[in-house]
Structure formats: structure tokens, C-alpha cells
């Protein structure tokens, strides 16, 4: 099933039609939502376009992100692959929808395409074997990053530099795990203009979704609607020779199999 946010409301979508989900706090009651969706009354649906959609979770309480979760990206950054997940946060105020215009801050703004896990029921100390049961679905995101602020100081700090307004675009849909042929092997790619700058598959992650859910929930209770940005593959701008950064007037297009496309234009 495919869900989205339309005018601030969670909706079930199909073939360009949207149907309001009739539950308060629907991600906390996602098992009930899925039962309702299986017999949904589609004549009550209304048409929509993707550019009308907001972020699948407009106001997540917690946004986790994983650094160096793909070996080629760890290598291009000059690091060995980590033995444990390296976690930071993007502050929730940066989260936006799939089709956006982003004002670039001064410095060296960069791109990082990521598949994002959306927590449904959540919980604490979730074992790996049951971790997918805590996941409502997957969406697509960009972990936009301003590298000068990120690398300022020793050690570097990540979270503030990745949380400028608009630096967490997500969407267009929240897709339930059963919709994918293999929920652990999803292809994704992003383009600046006509140039493909990143591509990868989630099967290449060092720490897959289930392990991330287990590792995070062993420390922090996962709450309905929490986001986990699961990491980016090689191809980010600051590791190119010469480095390349986002410029006003450019458009960044990101796509993921079974999820769709998000698009950011920069000014």
C-alpha cells in the first residue's frame, strides 16, 4: 500500500487518487490503518498530483541518520567501514515534502540520496527478527548537508549542518514493505541536471534496516512517525576531484524503485 500526506492529512493513494485515512495518530495505529485500507471505499477518493504532497511524516518527533553505511562512501570519505552504526540526527524542522525549492546557505552545500525508514508501531529493545514489524514503510529522502559547517572544528559535527530549512526533503510516498519484491534490495539514484551523481541498492548497506531498528531501539525508544535516514552511497559532491557543490538554479532529482521521485530546485 502507498500512503502520502495531502493538505496535512495522511491519505491512502492509488492511481492518482487519494483517500483520507480516518484515524487520529494513524502511524501509532498502523495495524488498524492497514486493515481499514484493505477494504477502503475508493469511490470517496479525490484526484491529486505529486506536487501537492507534503512529507509523508510532516512532524516526526525523532529523525535518525546513519553515517558511512555504504562501504564505497566510507572509502571515498577516507574512512574504514565502521564496526557499529554511526548515528546522528537531522533536526525535525528541516523536513519538507518531495517537490521543493531550497534556499542555499553560504558555504558548500552538498547532496546525499537516502532511503528512509518510517517507524509505525515502534518500541524499545526490538529484536532484529521482529524489526520490520515496527516499520510502517519506506520513503525517499535527501540528507542535504553544508560541508563547511559540518567540518568546522575537531571533531566534526554533523547535525546542525544537515538541518538548514529544506535540508530534509522526503517522499513522495510511504510504501509498505510488502509492496517491494525484496524490501532489503531497492535501487535508487539521483541526478544533477542530466548527470547521474549517485546510485546504489539498499542491499549494499553495511547495517540494513532491521539491524538499524534493533540497534537504535536498544538505546532510544522508537516512536510512531520517527524517520531513519539509512545512509548514502558514493558520489557526494565534497569527495569529487575537484569538489562540486550545489548551485543556485540547479535541480536535484532523486528516484527510488517502488517509491517514486523527489525534486529539489535551488536558489
Amino acid at each position: 500500500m502507498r500512503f502520502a500526506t495531502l493538505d496535512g492529512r495522511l491519505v491512502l493513494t492509488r492511481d492518482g487518487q487519494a483517500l483520507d485515512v480516518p484515524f487520529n495518530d494513524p502511524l501509532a495505529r498502523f495495524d488498524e490503518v492497514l486493515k481499514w485500507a484493505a477494504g477502503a471505499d475508493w469511490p470517496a477518493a479525490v484526484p491529486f498530483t505529486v506536487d501537492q504532497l507534503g512529507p509523508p511524516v510532516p512532524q516526526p518527533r525523532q529523525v535518525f541518520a546513519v553515517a558511512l553505511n555504504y562501504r564505497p562512501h566510507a572509502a571515498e570519505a577516507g574512512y574504514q567501514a565502521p564496526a557499529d552504526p554511526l548515528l546522528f540526527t537531522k533536526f525535525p524542522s528541516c523536513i519538507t515534502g518531495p517537490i521543493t525549492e531550497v534556499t542555499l546557505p553560504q558555504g558548500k552545500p552538498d547532496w546525499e540520496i537516502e532511503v528512509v525508514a518510517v517507524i509505525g508501531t515502534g518500541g524499545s529493545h526490538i529484536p532484529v527478527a521482529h524489526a520490520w514489524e515496527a516499520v510502517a514503510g519506506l520513503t525517499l529522502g535527501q540528507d542535504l548537508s553544508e560541508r563547511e559547517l559540518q567540518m568546522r572544528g575537531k571533531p566534526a559535527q554533523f547535525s546542525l549542518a544537515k538541518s538548514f530549512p529544506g535540508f530534509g526533503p522526503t517522499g513522495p510516498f510511504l510504501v509498505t514493505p510488502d509492496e517491494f519484491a525484496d524490501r532489503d534490495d531497492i535501487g535508487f539514484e539521483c541526478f544533477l541536471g542530466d548527470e547521474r551523481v549517485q546510485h546504489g541498492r539498499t542491499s549494499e548497506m553495511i547495517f540494513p534496516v532491521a539491524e538499524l531498528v534493533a540497534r537504535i531501539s536498544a538505546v532510544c525508544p522508537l516512536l510512531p512517525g520517527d524517520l531513519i535516514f539509512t545512509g548514502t552511497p558514493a558520489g557526494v559532491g565534497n569527495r569529487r576531484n575537484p569538489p562540486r557543490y550545489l548551485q543556485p538554479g540547479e535541480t536535484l532529482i532523486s528516484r527510488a524503485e517502488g517509491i517514486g521521485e523527489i525534486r529539489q530546485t535551488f536558489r
Side-chain angles (χ1 to χ4, degrees):
M1 298 175 183
R2 299 165 70 84
F3 296 86
T5 295
L6 182 64
D7 296 327
R9 308 182 311 276
L10 188 70
V11 293
L12 177 66
T13 70
R14 185 180 73 182
D15 299 329
Q17 299 286 309
L19 188 62
D20 278 1
V21 174
F23 293 89
N24 293 323
D25 201 5
L27 290 174
R29 305 169 62 185
F30 206 62
D31 288 344
E32 296 176 67
V33 170
L34 293 177
K35 290 178 183 178
W36 164 82
D41 183 16
W42 282 100
V46 297
F48 74 95
T49 58
V50 172
D51 61 0
Q52 295 176 276
L53 299 180
V57 183
Q59 295 180 313
R61 284 175 283 182
Q62 301 184 106
V63 181
F64 301 92
V66 188
L68 307 181
N69 201 21
Y70 289 79
R71 294 182 191 279
H73 177 53
E76 74 174 355
Y79 297 101
Q80 292 185 340
D84 296 287
L86 302 176
L87 273 291
F88 61 94
T89 187
K90 291 174 75 72
F91 296 111
S93 60
C94 78
I95 299 299
T96 61
I99 311 297
T100 58
E101 187 175 74
V102 181
T103 299
L104 294 175
Q106 292 185 343
K108 298 175 178 178
D110 202 351
W111 60 86
E112 293 189 15
I113 187 175
E114 311 208 5
V115 171
V116 180
V118 179
I119 298 300
T121 304
S124 297
H125 300 281
I126 302 168
V128 171
H130 296 287
W132 274 105
E133 298 168 22
V135 176
L138 300 175
T139 191
L140 180 61
Q142 272 284 344
D143 175 22
L144 298 176
S145 308
E146 197 285 285
R147 302 300 190 188
E148 281 190 0
L149 180 57
Q150 180 182 339
M151 300 303 177
R152 188 180 300 164
K154 294 182 181 295
Q157 68 84 27
F158 281 34
S159 297
L160 199 61
K162 292 169 172 282
S163 298
F164 285 90
F167 268 35
T170 55
F173 301 103
L174 184 165
V175 183
T176 55
D178 60 290
E179 288 285 313
F180 299 97
D182 184 344
R183 63 193 181 188
D184 287 304
D185 185 29
I186 298 166
F188 56 101
E189 59 186 354
C190 69
F191 296 79
L192 269 176
D194 295 329
E195 181 186 359
R196 185 168 77 164
V197 291
Q198 282 186 285
H199 63 95
R201 304 195 68 85
T202 58
S203 56
E204 299 165 342
M205 288 194 292
I206 299 169
F207 305 103
V209 169
E211 187 169 356
L212 292 174
V213 168
R215 296 280 199 113
I216 295 170
S217 70
V219 178
C220 301
L222 288 172
L223 307 174
D226 283 355
L227 304 180
I228 303 175
F229 281 70
T230 59
T232 198
V236 297
N238 73 325
R239 298 302 174 181
R240 293 181 162 231
N241 187 16
R244 177 180 176 185
Y245 299 105
L246 296 167
Q247 301 295 323
E250 290 188 310
T251 297
L252 180 66
I253 298 173
S254 310
R255 302 185 181 112
E257 293 174 352
I259 298 173
E261 177 180 298
I262 66 175
R263 183 171 70 250
Q264 279 61 60
T265 301
F266 301 97
R267 64 179 185 185

